[in-house]
Amino acid sequence: MTTSHDSEFGVADWQRLLRSVGEDPTRQGLVETPNRVARAWAHWTRGYKQDPATILKTFADGGECYDELIVVREIPVYSHCEHHLAPFFGHATVGYLPSGHIVGLSKLTRLVNCFAARLQVQERLTQQIAQSLLEHLQPKAVGVILRCRHMCMESRGIAVAGEETVTSAMLGDLKTNAAQRAEFLALAEQQTAR
């Protein structure tokens, strides 16, 4: 049985973590660290308290007659790997083919942030963004590409810096229509061709 005490990881727990790695949490440089870290983790995991449906409010002004891809590139991604709690970071490209409704462009960034601000694996994060956009916006097609570096690979284990992991999700017409898929991929690739 989980008690409220068990579910709240607080300042005392961060002090205990510092002691467990051989530090003195009362040392001048560390006195405020447990409070700062508790606030940081509350921010880094804020996505659990966000509802994608409220983020993706749609507009009918113009979307009903627009029938080409809408793509937002280089959306910053900052997340934490659920296997090591280590950061991973990079960029997302999110696109969709509207079907009568469009969404404010900043909402695509907010949607990425919503799912990134949870403990994640990149593959699931990619799928969650795409599935949520398909479910709530009901477009003809959705494409998501994530390019990220993982600190669990760079700072431990294989310890190779700079490797990039690329994941993608293609839903609706992008999964079956080769020409639309090629157009989306061409638009997405332009972000690296500068």
Side-chain angles (χ1 to χ4, degrees):
M1 173 184 280
T2 302
T3 66
S4 63
H5 176 73
D6 292 334
S7 64
E8 297 172 9
F9 198 90
V11 170
D13 298 297
W14 291 114
Q15 290 170 335
R16 190 163 55 92
L17 176 78
L18 290 171
R19 283 193 296 275
S20 76
V21 298
E23 268 294 354
D24 174 9
T26 64
R27 181 167 64 78
Q28 181 60 36
L30 293 175
V31 171
E32 293 301 317
T33 297
N35 284 311
R36 285 192 296 264
V37 174
R39 287 192 306 273
W41 273 102
H43 176 74
W44 290 332
T45 57
R46 69 196 180 281
Y48 289 110
K49 296 178 180 175
Q50 295 176 324
D51 179 5
T54 63
I55 292 170
L56 292 173
K57 294 180 181 175
T58 62
F59 302 103
D61 54 347
E64 63 277 359
C65 60
Y66 189 83
D67 62 354
E68 298 291 334
L69 283 168
I70 299 169
V71 179
V72 178
R73 299 184 309 221
E74 299 207 23
I75 299 170
V77 173
Y78 297 99
S79 192
H80 284 82
C81 163
E82 68 182 30
H83 299 145
H84 302 98
L85 303 185
F88 68 92
F89 57 93
H91 291 91
T93 296
V94 178
Y96 69 98
L97 186 61
S99 178
H101 291 90
I102 58 173
V103 69
L105 297 176
S106 68
K107 305 303 186 191
L108 298 179
T109 298
R110 290 174 196 254
L111 183 66
V112 170
N113 290 337
C114 169
F115 288 113
R118 302 175 184 191
L119 299 181
Q120 283 290 6
V121 295
Q122 183 174 331
E123 298 85 347
R124 183 177 63 234
L125 174 58
T126 306
Q127 282 293 326
Q128 285 177 330
I129 295 164
Q131 289 289 349
S132 184
L133 195 56
L134 187 69
E135 176 186 346
H136 299 295
L137 192 56
Q138 299 181 339
K140 296 175 187 172
V142 172
V144 176
I145 298 174
L146 263 63
R147 301 170 188 278
C148 294
R149 291 173 55 187
H150 292 252
M151 292 309 293
C152 59
M153 284 177 53
E154 293 195 22
S155 65
R156 57 163 300 284
I158 193 169
V160 175
E163 288 186 350
E164 186 178 66
T165 300
V166 181
T167 52
S168 66
M170 306 290 168
L171 305 177
D173 288 355
L174 286 185
K175 194 166 190 86
T176 57
N177 184 317
Q180 283 184 348
R181 185 183 186 99
E183 180 185 357
F184 173 74
L185 292 172
L187 290 169
E189 287 301 315
Q190 289 177 5
Q191 72 185 22
T192 59
R194 305 189 243 169

